[in-house]
């Protein structure tokens, strides 16, 4: 992977990419920015990281004749930038320290999923997803990414993406965000429950009940 | 509800595998 060039904090995609569909580029940049702001909790740092990632794409933009390949590559650069920044920050005061881990998820939602004996309500029981697993992994993994940004409360989204997308260890997250391991595991559990439900309701409702 | 253990298994419905594989991609 090529090292990205540095670039100023211009709010638009670099001009060398102007040969590409501007609507696609704007959507790409918008999605990258949401992801970066969520993780870095600093709009200026997020703007810089996104701009540098897009600038990095300048060098090889011609090599990507498919949008999906370019998008994946640009996000890979951004992911590395965010990970480096988070690791460089060390301990930070973030929402993790300002909000108790239970505040982003009322127990009411879980009462909607499980009955008083702790078993699934009939209408909430997970169903078999019709699409082959390979198809989900290949063609729809951006859906998981988008669902993280749109379906989950901010705290759950941030920690889930740190753990799964940025591949930070539990220890790193707990150290940086000053939360306990058990709190992190509860947040990740709630994120997985909600994300799975969101994906099923939006994309897999045509699945058969097993 | 005690899905909680299956989530815990990723740290130290069983869709969870699909989610993880997609994220790792």
């Amino acid at each position: 992977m090529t090292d990205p060039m540095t670039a100023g904090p211009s709010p638009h995609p670099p001009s060398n990419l102007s040969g590409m569909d501007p609507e696609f580029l704007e959507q790409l940049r918008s999605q990258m920015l949401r992801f970066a702001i969520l993780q870095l909790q600093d709009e200026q740092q997020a703007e810089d990281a996104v701009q540098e990632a897009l600038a990095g794409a300048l060098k090889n933009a011609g090599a990507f004749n498919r949008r999906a390949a370019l998008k994946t590559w640009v996000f890979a650069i951004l992911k590395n930038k965010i990970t480096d920044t988070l690791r460089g920050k060390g301990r930070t005061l973030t929402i993790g320290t300002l909000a108790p881990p239970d505040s982003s998820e009322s127990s009411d939602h879980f009462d909607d999923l499980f009955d008083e004996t702790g078993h699934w309500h009939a209408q909430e029981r997970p169903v078999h997803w019709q699409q082959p697993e390979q198809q989900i992994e290949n063609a729809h993994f951006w859906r998981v990414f988008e669902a993280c940004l749109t379906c989950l409360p901010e705290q759950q989204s941030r920690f889930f993406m740190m753990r799964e997308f940025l591949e930070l260890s539990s220890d790193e997250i707990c150290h940086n965000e000053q939360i306990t391991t058990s709190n992190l595991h509860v947040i990740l559990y709630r994120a997985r429950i909600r994300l799975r439900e969101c994906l099923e309701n939006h994309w897999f409702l045509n699945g058969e009940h097993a | 509800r005690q899905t909680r253990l299956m989530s815990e298994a990723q740290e130290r419905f069983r869709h969870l595998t699909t989610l993880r594989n997609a994220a790792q991609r």
Side-chain angles (χ1 to χ4, degrees):
Chain A
M1 187 178 296
T2 310
D3 285 339
M5 298 160 57
T6 54
S10 159
H12 300 293
S15 58
N16 302 44
L17 291 173
S18 59
M20 304 189 71
D21 178 359
E23 189 177 347
F24 164 71
L25 282 178
E26 197 46 53
Q27 284 177 350
L28 174 63
R29 187 182 174 283
S30 171
Q31 197 176 33
M32 291 169 73
L33 195 56
R34 283 162 63 203
F35 176 52
I37 289 174
L38 177 71
Q39 292 302 331
L40 297 174
Q41 302 284 292
D42 181 313
E43 200 160 339
Q44 189 56 54
Q45 275 191 326
E47 285 272 5
D48 290 347
V50 168
Q51 198 62 21
E52 287 175 19
L54 284 169
L58 289 176
K59 293 182 176 178
N60 294 306
F64 298 101
N65 53 4
R66 293 176 305 119
R67 290 175 174 183
L70 173 65
K71 183 175 181 179
T72 300
W73 192 69
V74 171
F75 263 95
I77 298 174
L78 181 62
K79 176 218 162 192
N80 290 333
K81 287 195 163 300
I82 289 174
T83 304
D84 289 346
T85 304
L86 288 175
R87 285 181 170 144
K89 270 183 173 179
R91 281 172 178 255
T92 53
L93 183 67
T94 67
I95 52 170
T97 56
L98 297 175
D102 291 341
S103 64
S104 65
E105 172 66 71
S106 71
S107 60
D108 294 345
H109 182 66
F110 274 62
D111 291 340
D112 290 342
L113 296 176
F114 301 106
D115 63 21
E116 64 278 6
T117 64
H119 293 289
W120 294 105
H121 281 302
Q123 69 276 19
E124 298 295 346
R125 187 178 300 129
V127 299
H128 174 65
W129 287 353
Q130 287 286 46
Q131 285 87 339
E133 185 172 332
Q134 191 64 30
Q135 185 185 352
I136 296 167
E137 289 175 25
N138 283 345
H140 300 321
F141 75 103
W142 285 108
R143 286 180 174 177
V144 176
F145 183 88
E146 183 63 25
C148 282
L149 289 175
T150 55
C151 294
L152 298 180
E154 182 177 353
Q155 187 187 53
Q156 289 177 22
S157 173
R158 184 159 185 258
F159 289 163
F160 179 82
M161 292 179 112
M162 273 185 186
R163 184 76 184 89
E164 300 289 357
F165 289 92
L166 299 180
E167 294 186 298
L168 297 180
S169 71
S170 289
D171 287 345
E172 280 181 301
I173 297 171
C174 290
H175 176 77
N176 288 348
E177 306 297 328
Q178 300 188 55
I179 60 171
T180 66
T181 301
S182 60
N183 279 348
L184 176 64
H185 289 186
V186 169
I187 292 166
L188 292 174
Y189 168 58
R190 289 171 172 168
R192 289 178 180 121
I193 283 270
R194 192 182 279 252
L195 184 59
R196 193 214 66 79
E197 182 189 25
C198 171
L199 287 167
E200 185 163 288
N201 289 342
H202 285 87
W203 287 295
F204 302 107
L205 264 182
N206 58 348
E208 295 172 348
H209 282 270
Chain B
R1 191 167 181 159
Q2 293 164 324
T3 55
R4 180 79 173 83
L5 273 180
M6 285 188 266
S7 175
E8 194 74 10
Q10 300 207 332
E11 304 306 322
R12 65 170 174 85
F13 181 88
R14 185 175 67 162
H15 297 166
L16 279 193
T17 303
T18 302
L19 283 180
R20 168 146 284 189
N21 290 344
Q24 286 184 344
R25 188 166 291 272

